[in-house]
Amino acid sequence: MAVPIAVLDCDLLLYGRGHRTLDRFKLEDVTDEYLVSTYGFPRQFIYYLVDLLGATLSRPTQRSRAISPETQILAALGFYTSGSFQTRMGDAIGISQASMSRCVANVTEALVERASQFIHFPEDEATVQSLKDDFYGLAGMPGVLGVVDCTHVAIKAPNAEDLSYVNRKGLHSLNCLMVCDARGVLLSAETHWPGSLPDCTVLEQAALTSQFETELHKDGWLLGDSSFLLRTWLMTPLHIPETPAEYRYNMAHSATHNVIERTFRTIRSRFRCLDGSKGTLQYSPEKSSHIVLACCVLHNISLEHGLDVWSLPAAGPTEQLEEEYEQMESVDSEACRIRQELLLTHFS
């Protein structure tokens, strides 16, 4: 005879049915130092997230009791910044590991819903000009609207083994295409591309390309490395520089493009769930992509609040999934003309 099995709510066993909202942890009871060391962010930043996401995280559910938005946000920040669902994290705010996982899912989706609010290119002329001026101040490269590159984030093998997520190193990953400004603020983030796709293919298929070819900024360009094709709106380095002007162009290009490499490193330093030190993201590709995007949103919000991630202590060595690439040669004559004009006008 089959024996019925009751599914027990760990939180219910611990805390009973006395309250509809579980307020297990009070921000005012701990120091900023504790919050930063445990959850990665100070009190005022967490309060801002509670205001931003509170209504979404308080949506009615079928459960008899709900976990407060504050507790959900702390649980998610704890995971993003540590990469772990360890019991001590749940113990600190008084919830089970299963509830930790639900909180991360809820907060992740709430942040993804707001991605376009915090990750976008500027539209007004004054802000666009300021963007160009900031880049020009780095190494003298004119007309730059952003620097673009791809980075890989390790994920577990999908349940239905999908070779499209296996990168050149034989690891499962997402290939994430991002653009940032001179301060490291992300202007675009497409985090869903399978790891088997080379960077040039990701860009070719990306919404970013459609944006720049159909509607965005005809008076400037992005900077990309040699894994991308030269385009009228994307300046790449010269493969074999020969003249002094070409060397100066390549040096300015490299110094400016380095901003996004620093941005990738610091995002991984703050959000250790992405750096591979705790293993791969244990979710489907879709959910893993949303976690990466949620961390990108938090990265931009932190910069808005004056939290300079470039001042964070350097993270320990982490496994890098960046792909080797072949030098791409452009056949776009108009793009070649624009780059040559840039060389003559600004670097000769």
Side-chain angles (χ1 to χ4, degrees):
M1 180 179 69
V3 178
I5 299 175
V7 178
L8 300 178
D9 184 331
C10 296
D11 294 328
L12 181 61
L13 291 176
L14 287 171
Y15 300 99
R17 296 185 178 273
H19 302 281
R20 291 193 58 79
T21 300
L22 298 178
D23 295 312
R24 308 179 176 98
F25 182 92
K26 297 295 184 182
L27 285 174
E28 57 269 24
D29 293 340
V30 296
T31 64
D32 258 9
E33 290 75 12
Y34 173 81
L35 291 172
V36 171
S37 65
T38 307
Y39 304 104
F41 293 95
R43 188 186 327 274
Q44 291 307 314
F45 183 88
I46 296 170
Y47 281 143
Y48 173 83
L49 292 181
V50 172
D51 289 341
L52 178 70
L53 307 178
T56 301
L57 298 176
S58 299
R59 288 171 179 166
T61 69
Q62 298 301 313
R63 296 169 60 82
S64 59
R65 292 146 51 257
I67 299 175
S68 70
E70 183 179 290
T71 300
Q72 293 184 62
I73 288 167
L74 288 171
L77 293 179
F79 170 71
Y80 298 146
T81 58
S82 74
S84 174
F85 281 131
Q86 290 178 354
T87 304
R88 66 172 184 82
M89 184 67 69
D91 287 347
I93 51 178
I95 61 175
S96 67
Q97 183 170 318
S99 292
M100 279 279 294
S101 183
R102 288 195 298 271
C103 291
V104 170
N106 292 342
V107 174
T108 295
E109 292 311 307
L111 288 167
V112 167
E113 287 176 8
R114 290 160 177 78
S116 61
Q117 177 182 345
F118 294 99
I119 302 175
H120 56 82
F121 283 91
E123 296 181 356
D124 64 281
E125 290 186 12
T127 308
V128 170
Q129 186 58 49
S130 177
L131 191 66
K132 295 178 183 178
D133 292 343
D134 288 345
F135 275 118
Y136 187 80
L138 293 179
M141 181 68 77
V144 180
L145 300 168
V147 288
V148 59
D149 207 348
C150 289
T151 187
H152 285 253
V153 175
I155 63 172
K156 74 171 184 177
N159 290 333
E161 178 63 26
D162 188 343
L163 294 180
S164 69
Y165 289 94
V166 179
N167 60 35
R168 284 172 135 187
K169 296 186 177 181
L171 304 172
H172 292 84
S173 67
L174 296 168
N175 195 3
C176 304
L177 178 74
M178 301 187 194
V179 180
C180 74
D181 71 9
R183 293 195 306 125
V185 175
L186 295 174
L187 306 174
S188 177
E190 299 185 36
T191 61
H192 61 284
W193 296 103
S196 67
L197 293 181
D199 294 357
C200 61
T201 304
V202 169
L203 182 61
E204 183 179 340
Q205 299 178 10
L208 179 70
T209 293
S210 177
Q211 276 186 304
F212 268 81
E213 291 191 343
T214 61
E215 60 189 74
L216 269 182
H217 311 305
K218 302 301 182 183
D219 57 345
W221 38 74
L222 303 179
L223 295 188
D225 64 21
S226 297
S227 63
F228 301 115
L229 282 169
L230 178 71
R231 300 170 185 259
T232 56
W233 48 269
L234 177 65
M235 294 293 103
T236 60
L238 288 141
H239 181 32
I240 304 176
E242 296 177 347
T243 68
E246 289 175 346
Y247 276 103
R248 285 192 288 269
Y249 167 85
N250 270 15
M251 289 178 63
H253 187 292
S254 177
T256 307
H257 188 266
N258 185 55
V259 171
I260 198 161
E261 299 299 333
R262 291 179 66 192
T263 301
F264 287 156
R265 289 195 298 270
T266 53
I267 288 175
R268 291 178 186 274
S269 294
R270 169 152 276 163
F271 303 108
R272 303 304 297 270
C273 68
L274 307 181
D275 73 0
S277 63
K278 301 290 185 180
T280 62
L281 285 174
Q282 296 297 300
Y283 296 93
S284 68
E286 181 182 10
K287 289 184 177 179
S288 295
S289 167
H290 285 184
I291 287 173
V292 179
L293 185 55
C295 290
C296 291
V297 173
L298 288 172
H299 168 79
N300 276 11
I301 296 175
S302 69
L303 287 176
E304 279 190 12
H305 283 73
L307 303 179
D308 182 5
V309 293
W310 286 354
S311 67
L312 290 173
T318 60
E319 183 176 7
Q320 294 300 309
L321 295 172
E322 312 310 317
E323 299 291 314
E324 297 178 359
Y325 54 81
E326 297 178 3
Q327 179 77 31
M328 304 298 296
E329 295 292 346
S330 177
V331 294
D332 187 332
S333 59
E334 178 64 10
C336 291
R337 184 196 67 77
I338 290 173
R339 185 170 65 181
Q340 189 60 31
E341 182 177 317
L342 180 60
L343 279 162
L344 293 173
T345 305
H346 293 277
F347 295 97
S348 294

